[in-house]
C-alpha cells in the first residue's frame, strides 16, 4: 500500500470522498485485509479521541481572570473611536494594502520617467524651450517633453499619439 | 427598555445580546461560564499554562471588540473557540519562525515513518477509566509535534474539514491529510504501548 492509498483510506473514514470514490474503496476493502485493518485502526483512534477530549481548567481564579480582561476592555473603550479603528489594522489593511502596492508599482514605473524628464529640463532648458504635455485618458498615461522652438523635431517623441 | 436579566440563569443568546448593547455584567457572565473551555483549547494547542492564560485572555478581549459582528450562525462558545484557535495559530507561527525545526519533525513531514508502524487491531483503552484515559491522551498529544497536534485537535475535537484546516493553517489539503494520518497512527501506537504496560 503506498502513501496515497493510505491517505485515501483516511479520507474515506473522514467522509471526504465522493460517493463514487467511496464505492471504489468499499470494493477494495472487500479484497484487501491490510487495507481493512488500517481502516479499523483509523476508525478506532478517531472514536477514542473524539469522545475523550482532555479537559483543562483555568489555573487562576475566574474573578481574577475577568478582572484582567475587564481592564483591557476598559483601556480599549477609553480610546477615541478613531484610534480604536486605526489600532485595529484588519479593516484598512484589507482594502488599502492592495492599493498601496499598486501605488508603489506605479511610482516605480513613473518616477524614472519623471527623473529623465527633469534631466532633459536641465540639459535642454533654455528660453527657447517650452514644455508640451500629452495626456491620454484611454491609455491612462501622461507624456511631458520639451519642445525647442528652434529645433522642434529634436524634442518631439516619434510616432503619432 | 430591555427586560431585566437574571445573569446566572440566562441563556448565552440573551447574554450575548445584552453584551452587544454594552452590558459588561452580561459579558462577565459569559467569560465566567466559558473560561475553562476557551483556556482548555488554548492549552491543548500551545501546551504552556502561562501562554494559554494570556492567549485566552486576549481572545476574550478580541471577542468583546468584535461582538457586534457575531450574528449567531454558530453558538457563542464555538465563535469564541474559533477566535482563540486563530490566536494560537498566529502564536505558534511566530514561535516557529524563531526556532529551527527538529530533524524528527522533518522526517515526519517527508512521510514514511507512519507507514512502518504496525497496525493496532485491538482497542488498547478498553480497561481504562475515563479520567485516566483522558489524562493519557493528553500526555500522548504532548508527544506530538505542534503541527501534528494542531491538525488532530482541529479535526477530531473541533470537527473541521480538511479544507477548513488547510485554510486556517495556511497549508495545502495534502499536507493536512498527511499530518493527520501521521498524528493518528502515532496516537494509535502510543495507546498500544499502554496496553503492553498493563499486561
Amino acid at each position: 500500500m503506498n502513501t496515497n492509498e493510505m491517505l485515501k483510506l483516511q479520507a474515506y473514514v473522514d467522509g471526504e470522498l465522493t460517493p463514487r470514490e467511496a464505492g471504489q474503496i468499499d470494493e477494495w476493502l472487500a479484497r484487501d485485509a491490510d487495507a481493512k485493518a488500517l481502516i479499523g485502526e483509523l476508525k478506532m483512534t478517531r472514536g477514542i479521541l473524539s469522545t475523550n477530549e482532555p479537559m483543562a481548567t483555568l489555573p487562576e481564579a475566574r474573578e481574577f481572570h475577568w478582572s484582567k480582561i475587564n481592564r483591557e476592555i476598559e483601556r480599549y473603550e477609553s480610546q477615541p473611536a478613531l484610534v480604536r479603528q486605526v489600532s485595529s489594522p484588519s479593516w484598512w489593511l484589507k482594502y488599502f494594502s492592495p492599493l498601496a502596492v499598486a501605488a508603489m508599482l506605479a511610482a516605480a514605473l513613473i518616477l524614472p520617467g519623471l527623473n529623465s524628464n527633469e534631466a532633459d529640463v536641465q540639459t535642454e532648458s533654455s528660453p527657447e524651450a517650452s514644455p508640451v504635455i500629452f495626456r491620454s485618458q484611454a491609455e491612462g498615461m501622461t507624456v511631458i517633453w520639451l519642445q525647442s522652438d528652434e529645433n522642434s523635431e529634436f524634442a518631439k517623441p516619434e510616432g503619432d499619439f | 427598555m430591555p427586560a431585566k436579566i437574571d445573569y446566572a440563569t440566562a441563556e448565552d443568546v440573551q447574554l450575548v445580546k445584552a453584551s452587544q448593547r454594552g452590558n459588561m455584567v452580561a459579558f462577565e457572565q459569559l467569560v465566567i461560564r466559558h473560561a475553562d473551555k476557551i483556556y482548555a483549547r488554548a492549552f491543548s494547542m500551545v501546551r504552556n499554562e502561562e501562554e494559554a492564560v494570556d492567549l485566552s485572555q486576549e481572545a476574550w478581549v478580541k471577542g468583546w471588540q468584535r461582538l457586534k459582528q457575531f450574528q449567531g450562525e454558530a453558538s457563542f462558545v464555538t465563535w469564541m473557540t474559533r477566535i482563540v484557535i486563530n490566536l494560537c495559530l498566529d502564536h505558534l507561527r511566530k514561535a516557529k519562525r524563531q526556532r529551527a525545526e527538529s530533524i524528527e519533525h522533518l522526517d515526519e513531514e517527508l512521510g514514511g515513518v507512519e507507514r512502518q508502524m504496525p497496525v493496532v487491531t485491538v482497542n488498547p483503552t478498553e480497561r481504562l477509566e475515563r479520567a485516566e484515559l483522558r489524562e493519557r491522551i493528553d500526555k500522548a498529544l504532548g508527544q506530538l509535534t505542534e503541527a501534528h497536534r494542531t491538525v488532530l485537535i482541529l479535526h477530531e475535537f473541533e470537527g473541521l474539514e480538511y479544507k477548513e484546516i488547510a485554510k486556517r493553517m495556511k497549508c495545502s489539503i495534502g499536507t493536512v491529510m498527511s499530518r493527520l494520518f501521521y498524528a493518528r497512527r502515532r496516537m494509535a501506537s502510543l495507546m498500544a504501548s499502554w496496553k503492553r504496560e498493563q499486561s
Side-chain angles (χ1 to χ4, degrees):
Chain A
M1 215 185 310
N2 63 37
T3 306
N4 280 343
E5 287 170 333
M6 288 176 172
L7 295 183
K8 203 127 203 179
L9 288 178
Q10 177 180 244
Y12 172 84
V13 171
D14 293 331
E16 295 262 2
L17 295 182
T18 62
R20 190 166 164 271
E21 287 172 321
Q24 288 169 346
I25 299 288
D26 284 331
E27 286 172 23
W28 177 23
L29 290 175
R31 58 175 196 274
D32 190 329
D34 289 344
K36 206 172 174 179
L38 181 58
I39 283 268
E41 185 201 274
L42 290 170
K43 281 184 176 172
M44 180 186 70
T45 310
R46 188 187 159 154
I48 293 169
L49 290 174
S50 61
T51 51
N52 293 288
E53 182 182 350
M55 296 289 148
T57 313
L58 190 68
E60 61 187 20
R62 287 162 194 229
E63 290 72 19
F64 177 62
H65 191 59
W66 165 248
S67 72
K68 290 191 290 179
I69 294 164
N70 191 28
R71 201 164 49 233
E72 284 301 309
I73 290 174
E74 279 175 355
R75 200 165 64 178
Y76 170 79
E77 291 291 331
S78 65
Q79 293 172 341
L82 188 64
V83 176
R84 288 204 306 245
Q85 277 188 327
V86 171
S87 64
S88 164
S90 54
W91 70 274
W92 61 269
L93 268 182
K94 190 175 171 185
Y95 298 105
F96 290 102
S97 58
L99 285 179
V101 169
M104 280 164 64
L105 278 174
L109 289 170
I110 289 167
L111 282 176
L114 287 179
N115 287 338
S116 65
N117 284 345
E118 280 169 19
D120 286 345
V121 170
Q122 283 169 3
T123 53
E124 300 290 328
S125 178
S126 70
E128 292 78 33
S130 56
V132 177
I133 299 170
F134 171 79
R135 276 201 187 93
S136 169
Q137 293 289 341
E139 298 294 328
M141 66 174 186
T142 302
V143 179
I144 305 168
W145 74 94
L146 288 173
Q147 185 170 300
S148 165
D149 293 337
E150 287 175 358
N151 186 11
S152 61
E153 290 305 310
F154 176 74
K156 198 173 180 178
E158 285 181 13
D160 190 12
F161 284 90
Chain B
M1 199 178 160
K4 217 172 176 184
I5 305 169
D6 179 359
Y7 294 105
T9 58
E11 288 187 6
D12 280 3
V13 184
Q14 255 186 303
L15 294 170
V16 169
K17 279 184 181 162
S19 303
Q20 284 173 329
R21 291 192 297 269
N23 185 333
M24 288 287 273
V25 183
F27 193 66
E28 179 183 357
Q29 185 61 40
L30 286 168
V31 173
I32 302 278
R33 204 174 275 186
H34 301 296
D36 279 343
K37 165 88 181 159
I38 300 305
Y39 166 78
R41 177 55 67 242
F43 180 75
S44 70
M45 291 179 76
V46 300
R47 313 291 299 177
N48 177 296
E49 276 191 6
E50 204 177 319
E51 287 172 6
V53 169
D54 288 347
L55 286 162
S56 54
Q57 184 187 318
E58 197 181 334
W60 284 111
V61 175
K62 208 149 236 160
W64 168 266
Q65 292 169 355
R66 295 178 184 174
L67 206 53
K68 288 207 165 68
Q69 294 167 25
F70 176 69
Q71 302 290 325
E73 291 96 351
S75 73
F76 174 73
V77 73
T78 301
W79 183 74
M80 273 304 304
T81 306
R82 298 288 186 263
I83 292 178
V84 82
I85 285 172
N86 287 341
L87 285 172
C88 289
L89 288 172
D90 283 345
H91 175 83
L92 293 173
R93 265 192 286 270
K94 278 178 205 161
K96 192 182 171 185
R97 276 199 294 269
Q98 288 167 2
R99 59 169 161 67
E101 288 297 313
S102 69
I103 292 166
E104 182 199 4
H105 188 184
L106 289 174
D107 279 350
E108 289 168 11
E109 288 299 308
L110 291 170
V113 179
E114 67 275 19
R115 280 193 284 166
Q116 291 157 18
M117 295 175 189
V119 173
V120 180
T121 49
V122 181
N123 185 345
T125 64
E126 266 169 358
R127 288 186 190 172
L128 293 174
E129 292 287 327
R130 193 154 195 208
E132 193 190 346
L133 177 56
R134 283 181 161 171
E135 201 178 308
R136 284 182 180 228
I137 287 174
D138 187 48
K139 277 187 187 156
L141 284 171
Q143 292 183 46
L144 300 181
T145 63
E146 277 169 10
H148 293 110
R149 186 170 55 244
T150 304
V151 170
L152 204 62
I153 289 167
L154 295 183
H155 194 275
E156 310 295 35
F157 302 150
E158 291 299 325
L160 297 183
E161 292 179 351
Y162 295 168
K163 203 168 90 178
E164 185 65 24
I165 298 171
K167 198 173 128 191
R168 283 174 189 274
M169 293 188 75
K170 295 186 172 66
C171 63
S172 68
I173 290 178
T175 303
V176 169
M177 289 170 79
S178 57
R179 283 179 180 171
L180 183 60
F181 186 72
Y182 174 84
R184 276 177 171 156
R185 296 234 59 209
R186 179 103 173 96
M187 287 299 285
S189 167
L190 288 166
M191 287 190 275
S193 70
W194 306 338
K195 181 90 175 173
R196 284 195 294 272
E197 280 169 24
Q198 282 173 341
S199 57

